[in-house]
Amino acid sequence: KAGVTQTPRYLIKTRGQQVTLSCSPISGHRSVSWYQQTPGQGLQFLFEYFSETQRNKGNFPGRFSGRQFSNSRSEMNVSTLELGDSALYLCASSPPRPGPGTGELFFGEGSRLTVL
Amino acid sequence: GQQVMQIPQYQHVQEGEDFTTYCNSSTTLSNIQWYKQRPGGHPVFLIQLVKSGEVKKQKRLTFQFGEAKKNSSLHITATQTTDVGTYFCAGGRANNLFFGTGTRLTVIP
C-alpha cells in the first residue's frame, strides 16, 4: 500500500506570493490533517478534513486555507506569504476509526517551504 | 496555547544509557500517542495508549499512561545509535490531537 504522498517536496517563494501544497492520503483513508513544523514551535495543527468537510481547525490566520476533494486528496494554500511561514508542512492521513476519538496518523515526507 | 507539555527538550546520552521523556497535560486525555521522527524524516507512529495506568512495551521501549490520564512517559532501556531522533507525544481530546514539543535524543557512541 502506497504511503502518504506530498508534493512538491521543496519550494522557494518570496514574500507576498501564494503557495499551494498537495497531499494524497493512503488509499481508504478519508481523514487528512495538516501540520506546520518549525524548529521553535514544534508540530502545530493547521486543520483536518474528513469527507470534503473541515472538521477541525487550528489557530492560524485566514491566510492558511485548505480543501479536500471527493477522492480524499487534499490541498492547502497559503496566501500573502511571510518570512515566518518558512517551515516543513506535513500532511497526515488516518484510517477510519470505529468510534469517537483520535486515530493514529500516517505522515507524508512533507513539503519544505522557504520564503525569501 | 500549548495543551501538552513535554520534557526535556533535548537529551544527550551515552550509548547504553537509559532515556526517558515525559508528557504532561493540564486536562484529562482520551488517549496518548507517541511518534518518532528521525533527523530529516517525518513522524512515525509508535504506539497508542487508551486506558488509565496502561503500560505497553516494544522491545527496549516502555510506554506508560498515568492513572489520571494526564501524563505519559516513554522510557528507552540501553539506548542504541538507532534510537536517535525526536520523540513526540500527542494527547487526544475531543477529536483533537495535541502534540508535545518533542524531545530530541542524541546518542553518543
Side-chain angles (χ1 to χ4, degrees):
Chain A
K1 199 182 240 189
V4 177
T5 305
Q6 290 189 246
T7 56
R9 292 289 313 279
Y10 303 91
L11 66 167
I12 299 174
K13 293 284 187 177
T14 56
R15 280 183 299 173
Q17 287 187 311
Q18 67 95 27
V19 66
T20 299
L21 308 177
S22 179
C23 172
S24 293
I26 292 172
S27 178
H29 290 191
R30 293 163 61 190
S31 170
V32 174
S33 301
W34 287 90
Y35 289 84
Q36 181 194 65
Q37 186 173 36
T38 57
Q41 296 296 318
L43 277 162
Q44 299 291 308
F45 172 70
L46 281 155
F47 25 65
E48 180 201 5
Y49 287 88
F50 180 83
S51 293
E52 303 178 66
T53 300
Q54 189 180 87
R55 187 156 67 174
N56 280 308
K57 188 177 187 304
N59 193 25
F60 276 80
R63 299 185 297 109
F64 292 81
S65 63
R67 58 178 175 169
Q68 187 179 33
F69 302 96
S70 58
N71 62 357
S72 294
R73 191 177 70 86
S74 178
E75 289 182 347
M76 68 162 283
N77 183 278
V78 187
S79 62
T80 321
L81 284 166
E82 301 176 359
L83 295 179
D85 296 332
S86 294
L88 179 67
Y89 290 88
L90 290 160
C91 166
S93 71
S94 56
R97 42 188 190 263
T102 52
E104 70 179 89
L105 299 177
F106 294 81
F107 283 88
E109 299 283 350
S111 293
R112 185 166 295 280
L113 170 66
T114 301
V115 182
L116 302 177
Chain B
Q2 189 61 250
Q3 305 258 1
V4 174
M5 302 302 295
Q6 192 173 350
I7 56 169
Q9 192 173 359
Y10 303 95
Q11 184 80 60
H12 296 248
V13 299
Q14 205 74 36
E15 188 173 16
E17 291 182 338
D18 292 356
F19 158 76
T20 305
T21 173
Y22 301 91
C23 193
N24 290 287
S25 169
S26 57
T27 56
T28 303
L29 302 169
S30 57
N31 62 286
I32 193 92
Q33 298 178 4
W34 286 92
Y35 292 79
K36 176 183 178 181
Q37 185 173 20
R38 294 182 186 274
H42 58 279
V44 174
F45 175 81
L46 293 176
I47 207 161
Q48 175 168 274
L49 305 172
V50 178
K51 299 176 183 176
S52 168
E54 189 171 12
V55 178
K56 286 188 177 180
K57 291 191 176 185
Q58 289 179 351
K59 297 181 181 179
R60 295 178 294 103
L61 277 61
T62 302
F63 304 84
Q64 291 188 323
F65 199 10
E67 293 289 342
K69 300 182 76 173
K70 289 185 176 182
N71 55 71
S72 180
S73 65
L74 158 60
H75 180 82
I76 302 178
T77 304
T79 54
Q80 300 174 359
T81 54
T82 53
D83 296 325
V84 163
T86 301
Y87 293 84
F88 292 96
C89 65
R93 186 169 58 84
N95 286 321
N96 289 319
L97 200 60
F98 301 97
F99 276 83
T101 47
T103 296
R104 182 181 295 180
L105 173 64
T106 301
V107 180
I108 305 163

